[in-house]
């Protein structure tokens, strides 16, 4: 093999070893051109992995869904031809950035005490859906809202003091 990028040249020789007096051979050179194809992006979770994304009830952004593409470098740069979108589940609560990062919609306030688990099906796909409509991977994720203390804080300093032993009731 002579390698020259995506083009290869191979010489093939065929001989008739059964010939009695003269060995008869023929050879030819073949040119092979390897054409790159666009591979499907995919989520990188194993079947036994928890598909859980977390977000704090007081946060706008949460975890990022992990995905990959066998096309390490595309014409327009690393992974820039892919996007992650939310296709079903609690899409009225969450949206997903192109890079797979979970985001709470601007008119939504999360409250752990009211609801702390959501479902969202995400799709990582090739952005060129017109030419590559079948290059995608879907996966359902559980969204877990983490609790933050949202009650009043007890200020110990305000209520801290000393009273001498055997003092009369009402002594300050």
């Amino acid at each position: 093999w002579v390698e020259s990028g995506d083009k290869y040249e191979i010489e093939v020789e065929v001989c008739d070893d059964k010939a009695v007096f003269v060995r008869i051979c023929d050879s030819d050179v073949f040119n092979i051109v390897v054409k790159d194809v666009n591979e499907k992006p995919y989520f990188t979770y194993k079947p036994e992995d928890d598909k859980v994304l977390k977000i704090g009830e007081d946060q706008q952004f949460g975890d990022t869904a992990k995905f990959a593409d066998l096309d390490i470098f595309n014409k327009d740069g690393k992974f820039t031809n892919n996007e992650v979108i939310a296709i079903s589940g609690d899409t009225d609560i969450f949206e997903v950035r192109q890079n797979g990062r979970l985001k709470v919609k601007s008119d939504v306030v999360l409250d752990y005490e009211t609801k702390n688990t959501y479902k969202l099906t995400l799709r990582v796909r090739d952005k060129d859906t017109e030419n590559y409509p079948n290059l995608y991977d879907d996966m359902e994720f559980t969204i877990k809202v983490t609790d933050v203390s949202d009650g009043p804080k007890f200020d110990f300093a305000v209520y801290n003091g000393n009273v001498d032993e055997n003092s009369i009731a009402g002594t300050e």
Side-chain angles (χ1 to χ4, degrees), residues 161-172:
N162 295 315
V163 175
D164 290 334
E165 180 180 21
N166 298 326
S167 296
I168 300 172
T171 303
E172 290 185 29

Side-chain angles (χ1 to χ4, degrees), residues 145-163:
V145 177
T146 57
D147 194 17
V148 228
S149 177
D150 42 29
K153 303 237 188 261
F154 185 78
D155 187 358
F156 291 100
V158 172
Y159 298 99
N160 194 13
N162 295 315
V163 175

Side-chain angles (χ1 to χ4, degrees), residues 7-77:
K7 297 178 183 170
Y8 299 88
E9 186 177 282
I10 185 171
E11 182 177 359
V12 178
E13 181 180 63
V14 178
C15 295
D16 181 2
D17 288 338
K18 303 285 184 192
V20 179
F21 297 109
V22 180
R23 186 170 181 200
I24 302 170
C25 296
D26 192 18
S27 67
D28 205 346
V29 175
F30 295 90
N31 292 311
I32 301 171
V33 178
V34 178
K35 184 178 177 186
D36 187 27
V37 295
N38 195 2
E39 278 89 14
K40 171 179 123 169
Y42 57 94
F43 289 106
T44 58
Y45 299 85
K46 296 177 185 160
E48 66 273 9
D49 290 346
D50 286 335
K51 285 87 174 172
V52 175
L53 301 176
K54 294 180 182 175
I55 187 166
E57 69 178 328
D58 61 342
Q59 301 293 310
Q60 272 302 109
F61 292 96
D63 290 344
T64 301
K66 298 177 221 146
F67 67 95
D69 188 338
L70 294 176
D71 292 325
I72 295 185
F73 288 96
N74 294 287
K75 286 185 259 182
D76 52 355

